[in-house]
Amino acid sequence: QLCLTFFFFFPPQRGSDELSMYNSPNSGMSNGAPNGSDSKKLRVEEAPPSRVIHIRKLPNEASEAEVIALGLPFGKVTNILTLKGKNQAFLEMGTEEAAVTMVNYYSKVTPLIRNVQVFIQYSNHKELKTDASNQRTQAVLQAVSAVQSPGSDVQEVLAAASSPVLRIIIDNMFYPVTLDVLQQIFSKFGTVMKIITFTKNNQFQALLQFSDPVSAQQAKLALDGQNIYNSCCTLRIDFSKLVNLNVKYNNDKSRDYTRPELPAGDGQPSLDPAVAVAFSKDSSSLLGKIPGALNPLSAAAAAAAAAGRVALAGQAGSSGVLLVSNLNEEVSNTHTNTRVYGDVQRVKILYNKKDSALIQMSDSNQAQLAMSHLNGQKMYGKIIRVTLSKHQTVALPRDGLDDQGLTKDFANSSLHRFKKPGSKNFQNIFPPSATLHLSNIPQDVTEDDLRLLFSNTGGTVKAFKFFQDRKMALIQMSTVEEAIQALIDLHNYNMGGNQHLRVSFSKSTI
């Protein structure tokens, strides 16, 4: 399609680039030079300097990134057109000066791609009028531009742009992102071979390998900076220096879709063989059936939502009910901590086991998020355990039945943080940390006031910092446990004038 588009704009003529085998000696490509002619040279008109470069005798397997790399040392590359059947390409430089410098340089130094000599000359065309909507071309150009910087090594740029492996960081991860979610989203752009997930610097990250570099380039172009879900789970995508991933196990942390027979590893649930086979195939056809699939973002969101439901299907707690155990029996405010990760609907302290409670979140994704961040944290001097419950809901006591205040309904609470779609609260969800973010601070409240308030929760304030408008601040406690206690005690604290303090965990340090 691209070739047809090119020839629609520029019909071949005698003396055109397609008929020109070599330029005249005046072009700097005379006999004896690395790009000199041989016995088959044709007599054609010399092309004047142009910012479009004609490159011939490319190896069959040469990629667009390798062709672009020829021009990178001399300036910005703005377009490329490859003619695979002719083993030729056209490279458009940002300026004519850059093109002249490139041609002059390669008149003295042999240009090589994959150790094969290629031939370079000016094109008769002043610009490339290729189809601007061609995603493949735009992906390659953007991929190279993303990794190129002044003084960067050409081989490093080429290696990054030619890698089939992407490094993915998930920011603002309000909902869990599983292997299957990633596979569903990225397979729209090519065949996903392998995925490895891990946590680094308190961020969920993944390495994802496509079957070819161009698929990786297209995925980066379309998805970098997009949200998987509304206002959260933002994709940050770079090229990895790796060219192949070594996956040993098929489990919830890593997957090789080409080898469904791999073991699950120590203590990991085995992957159902039918699921493994299904996901080893390119599922772009599935995305194509999703309404709005022509829009990469809506397709990604729909696929992620579908994959999330599949991942949770059949698991206990798919309704969003958590079982929290090993609590200190002083648990009247335990739900406050859970509220950081979702909207708590109901809480029930178990009658015969008062160190345990059922907490119902708004949905299963919020429950998963709270479980992943709170399980194993220390509260009131004890390590709490958070798991998904087999219960579908937390039932309210029947009319007339006194359950001694063990069940509370928060469905209509004014403290829900996430009931408004697109709320900025979705962007400020982080694991428990010693540093807390404070907001809604009255104008007359001082640093000393806040230090004293937080010291009264039983902890030690190590550092404090106001934001410029003094309506927000960061406060750092000595330990994560102290910060958890302070959040439980002081979130929604009335600072006077019915102005309530908002407290959440922060990813920053002071």
Side-chain angles (χ1 to χ4, degrees), residues 297-310:
L297 179 57
S298 61
R309 288 194 293 273
V310 171

Side-chain angles (χ1 to χ4, degrees), residues 188 287-300 302:
K188 176 177 174 60
L287 286 172
K289 295 176 183 178
I290 298 173
L294 292 178
N295 180 328
L297 179 57
S298 61

